[in-house]
Amino acid sequence: MDCVSDKGSLHDYLELNTPCFAVQGENIKVLNSPSEFYCCLIDGIMSAKRRIVLSALYLGTGEKEEKLVQCLDEALHRSVVDNRSLDVSILFDYVRGSRGSKNSKTILLPLLKHHDSSAGTNKLEVSFYHTPSLRGAWKQFLPARFNEVIGLNHLKIFIFDDTFIISGANLSTEYFHQRQDRYMQFNNCNLLANHFQTLVKAVSSFSFQLQSDGSLKFSEQCPYHPFNGNYSQFISFANRSLQSLLNPYQSVIASDSNAVIERQPGLFSSVFSSAVYLLQAIGFMKENKNNRDVAFTESNGAPQHRQEHSDPDTFIFPTLQMGIAGVRQDERVTKLLLESFPSKSHVCFTSGYFNITDDYSNAVLSSSANFDILTASPEANGFLGASGFAGNIPAVYIYFTRLFFEQLTKNESQKRIKIWEYMQPQWTYHAKGIWFCEEGQSLPSATMIGSSNFGLRSVNRDLEAQVILITKNRKLMEQLQTEKANLLKWSKPVTPETFAQPRYFVPRWVCYVSNLIKHYF
């Protein structure tokens, strides 16, 4: 199912290869600041009664992170007092989460000691994904931090009962304070939350679990160890574990808030104009006007009752990437998306670490759409001031930006494609994603949001998840426009003169090294 020809359309690919969730735009909220994101995490944990899911690269060790763990502790304790069962699933990266003497493992260890899942109705699982690519000599000799370039869990997924948040942010102080990212909250979306909870549990099934004594035990569900076992068998197991998340659902499943769309010939019909050209009028269920009944089900798929259901105005297509295991859904969807934008439409494309793949770069350069490309200035790069080689990483991204700018000049595309650098004082930039506005419209009707930085490591090394959102809900479109405007207001255009500035100086040796290491950034 996860295949498409180079000439295939985005509509065809999504219809055959991805789930589709129909939701009400009024249930979606765009968060605009790190502090708002943090407050939503705390509020979500404190209000959750059935499930909590947290997946990120790592959990920091500062006061805000300690408060987050304290809230988890209180939520678990409260569920015992109330005689409820709370399912808490936490997933981080093994290597990044183990860095230093105080790390994601040590800050979460008291939680496991206080709440033994075997002794009550609550279920608490803290997992750490380890890439199978870090093995042998690489694992033995690569020092801390450097070993993180081999591959990571990069999923940024947060669930509290039927509330789902997707982001590119990690769970550490800088991401709660002055590191700008993107965050989107879906409320009352049970099935969408189920989908991403299933993803986190699937990855946890081939990950390590933290024990109450501080040790890490590899999952009993996977018979193949990630770095001591057979590589091919491990990635085959991972691929099989993720397959159910890649395919379209085959039955109509609806609720008062969201629905999974049945895939049948002629099911999709046009609802909005050239925004839907993007997907050939994707996503709205064509129903008999005299029969608005939809089969309602619980998450187990058993029909419960039938009642009238209002038409949804927003559609969500989740995408997933685990390149080492042959799961390249997100990469294919992103490429087709960039190739599908209509002439004279407007696209904003952003990545905090500008090292987009050749496929994405060629799609932008050959497109007829107008592009604003937003990336971090050297001052807003999260690696600025880092010790050792990491301190030169901003120069690596400057070099990649300059190469792309030279391509624009060569193709005479500077009027159609503009590059901007984010320069909010004292802030770093970590946002990534795409916004689409149809010709003549000022409000975005589609966006792509998630964890991918659109670089070579995103498609080949890391675990990534995103969603495409398409909407005709005006209030949601206004939120997307506000989000984009808030980023661009701190940005300045990149011109030929920009690269002559001292802050854009790239040592010659960095130019040479960048070409060798671009697959790791």
Side-chain angles (χ1 to χ4, degrees), residues 104-119:
S104 303
K105 292 190 300 182
T106 59
I107 195 172
L108 285 166
L109 189 56
L111 199 65
L112 282 163
K113 290 181 176 180
H114 294 165
H115 303 280
D116 185 353
S117 294
S118 63

Side-chain angles (χ1 to χ4, degrees), residues 420-434:
W420 302 78
E421 57 174 347
Y422 180 91
M423 298 184 67
Q424 184 175 7
Q426 307 303 315
W427 281 60
T428 55
Y429 189 71
H430 199 252
K432 64 275 291 182
I434 297 171

Side-chain angles (χ1 to χ4, degrees), residues 374-415:
L374 176 59
T375 189
S377 67
E379 296 84 354
N381 190 294
F383 289 95
L384 185 71
S387 59
F389 175 79
N392 294 286
I393 290 178
V396 173
Y397 289 111
I398 291 172
Y399 174 70
F400 292 140
T401 304
R402 189 177 72 192
L403 290 180
F404 185 78
F405 190 88
E406 290 170 354
Q407 286 183 287
L408 297 185
T409 304
K410 181 179 178 181
N411 291 9
E412 299 181 343
S413 300
Q414 302 98 314
K415 291 185 178 180

Side-chain angles (χ1 to χ4, degrees), residues 91-111:
L91 174 65
F92 298 122
D93 184 74
Y94 182 107
V95 177
R96 180 61 183 89
S98 302
R99 186 203 291 179
S101 57
K102 190 177 181 181
N103 51 46
S104 303
K105 292 190 300 182
T106 59
I107 195 172
L108 285 166
L109 189 56
L111 199 65

Side-chain angles (χ1 to χ4, degrees), residues 23 25 27-33 36-37 40 156-158 160 163-169 181-187 192 314-316 434-435 446-450 467-471 476-477 479-481 483:
V23 304
N27 288 330
I28 301 173
K29 182 180 181 181
V30 177
L31 312 180
N32 286 302
S33 70
E36 186 179 11
F37 170 57
C40 287
K156 315 297 174 63
I157 294 165
F158 314 100
F160 314 101
T163 296
F164 161 62
I165 298 175
I166 190 165
S167 179
D181 214 302
R182 297 183 68 200
Y183 336 84
M184 188 172 289
Q185 179 172 300
F186 301 79
N187 299 313
L192 187 61
T314 303
F315 280 73
I316 311 298
I434 297 171
W435 298 258
T447 192
M448 190 174 203
I449 179 173
V467 299
I468 291 179
L469 176 151
I470 300 176
T471 187
L476 178 55
M477 295 165 71
Q479 287 189 69
L480 292 173
Q481 174 59 24
E483 175 191 40

Side-chain angles (χ1 to χ4, degrees), residues 28 39 97 115 119 126 141 177 216 248 276 364 395 401 408 412 434 454 467 498 503:
I28 301 173
C39 288
H115 303 280
V126 180
F141 296 112
H177 185 46
L216 287 169
V276 188
V364 172
T401 304
L408 297 185
E412 299 181 343
I434 297 171
F454 305 107
V467 299
T498 304
R503 65 193 184 90

Side-chain angles (χ1 to χ4, degrees), residues 254-256 293-298 302-308:
S255 72
D256 290 329
D293 287 350
V294 179
F296 278 55
T297 71
E298 297 294 340
Q304 300 298 312
H305 62 276
R306 299 174 66 84
Q307 68 181 56
E308 186 172 324

